[in-house]
Amino acid sequence: HYCKAHNSFLVEIDNSAEDSFILHELSIHHIVGAWTGGNDISREGHFVWDGSRTAIHYTHWAPGQPNGNNTYRPTDDCIKA
C-alpha cells in the first residue's frame, strides 16, 4: 500500500537476468534482499504479480520463502527475494 500511495510498485522479477541485476544493484547499497510484488492474496498458494495479476513463473526467492509467517495473517501473502 505504501508503494502504491507513492505511485510505485514492488519489483516483479520474471527471469534470472532481472534477478541478478536487481540483487547486484541492491548489494551496492548493502541491501541483502527486497520484497517482491508477488502475493497469493486472491488464491492461497497461487502467486501472482500485484501490478499485473499475471502468474509468477520465475521463483528465486529468499531461503525459506514463502514461509507462512506473516504478522497480520496466518498465511504468507508476500514474498522476499
Side-chain angles (χ1 to χ4, degrees):
H1 295 290
Y2 177 85
C3 292
K4 288 180 184 177
H6 290 84
N7 296 318
S8 300
F9 293 95
L10 292 169
V11 67
E12 294 183 10
I13 304 169
D14 292 318
N15 56 59
S16 62
E18 289 178 1
D19 186 40
S20 295
F21 175 80
I22 290 166
L23 292 175
H24 172 72
E25 292 299 310
L26 292 173
S27 71
I28 292 171
H29 301 285
H30 308 288
I31 300 171
V32 178
W35 290 99
T36 70
N39 67 64
D40 69 343
I41 293 171
S42 297
R43 192 169 115 209
E44 188 63 32
H46 178 75
F47 287 89
V48 297
W49 293 121
D50 189 46
S52 63
R53 306 305 301 159
T54 58
I56 295 176
H57 298 289
Y58 176 79
T59 56
H60 182 231
W61 299 329
Q65 291 289 322
N67 63 13
N69 184 15
N70 185 300
T71 305
Y72 303 105
R73 299 174 188 218
T75 56
D76 198 11
D77 291 323
C78 302
I79 311 158
K80 188 172 184 179

